[in-house]
Amino acid sequence: REILSTEDTKTIFNSGGDDNIILALAIMLICTLRSGELKGLTWDCVVSEGNKTKIIINKELERRNKKDIIDTKTKVLFEFPSTKKDPSTIVILKETKTKDSDRVNSVPCYLAEWLREYRLNQEKLKKQYGDEYYDYNLVFCQNNGKPHSNHTFDDRLKKILNKLGIKAVGLYSFRHGGATEKVRLCQNLDAVRQDMGQTGFDVLLEVYLHGNEEERERMAELLCNQFWENKKTDDLDEKE
């Protein structure tokens, strides 16, 4: 999957656009969440102690076929009510993908404050909707409290990208981009693996890490400097 450049990502986060989706994208990137983990995040799993805030990732929100749920013996934690009489698919909160997917990730102070402000706005919406608000304790949800559909985030992201003139990418590119930036900045593969909830390194190395031309050029320069420190192109020209 294609990811955005660091500059394009900065542009999105500082665009002052749709606060609901922008904050969700920021949490997805910084905490390298899967889309189902993001949609299934509940307020009881946003924990603050002193000046530190963490999120507990222990479930996913998905729309699943009823038969598939039975066949795969999926453990359903909660089933959201459906407006249809006998739906073939339902929206559920379920266990995370693997045992290693259950994790606790840190939320930087800036995003923690943003989350607090966002929650205050959500409380105002609850009062506005009154009895018509569906309180499932979801962090990211529709204005009336109902869970987002599979296409909600992608559609709203597409509108933001079109408005800013940025190439189209999917929601998952923010998880991929977060993983790539974390490895580039801290160079600790195991820390990144744990943050992502991956069991091993294979998927991390083969799927999530993205190089780009700028990074490859920088890598070549750094390697060159290991052997010919402070040597410039001018030095070669003088020898010719």
Side-chain angles (χ1 to χ4, degrees), residues 32 34 72 74-75 124 150-151 161 163 183 216 224 234:
T32 43
R34 298 178 176 90
T72 57
T74 300
K75 185 174 180 180
K124 292 178 182 178
N150 288 341
H151 304 294
L161 297 177
K163 184 178 179 181
V183 171
R216 291 168 66 192
C224 183
D234 292 342

Side-chain angles (χ1 to χ4, degrees), residues 178-192:
T180 301
E181 288 295 323
K182 284 179 178 181
V183 171
R184 185 177 69 83
L185 292 170
C186 76
Q187 299 179 356
N188 186 329
L189 285 178
D190 194 50
V192 178

Side-chain angles (χ1 to χ4, degrees), residues 11-47:
T11 299
I12 293 170
F13 289 156
N14 293 289
S15 64
D18 188 337
D19 193 54
N20 187 311
I21 183 67
I22 297 294
L23 176 57
L25 295 174
I27 293 293
M28 190 175 193
L29 182 138
I30 297 299
C31 297
T32 43
L33 301 183
R34 298 178 176 90
S35 59
E37 295 169 346
L38 179 73
K39 295 172 188 174
L41 183 64
T42 49
W43 284 113
D44 58 301
C45 289
V46 180
V47 182

Side-chain angles (χ1 to χ4, degrees), residues 207-218:
V207 180
Y208 288 102
L209 298 190
H210 295 256
N212 56 50
E213 188 174 349
E214 183 181 338
E215 279 295 303
R216 291 168 66 192
E217 289 176 357
R218 178 173 171 272

Side-chain angles (χ1 to χ4, degrees), residues 216-238:
R216 291 168 66 192
E217 289 176 357
R218 178 173 171 272
M219 179 173 62
E221 288 291 339
L222 288 173
L223 184 59
C224 183
N225 289 339
Q226 293 294 317
F227 300 100
W228 299 281
E229 189 175 359
N230 298 323
K231 292 292 183 181
K232 309 274 187 184
T233 304
D234 292 342
D235 297 334
L236 295 176
D237 292 338
E238 289 175 4

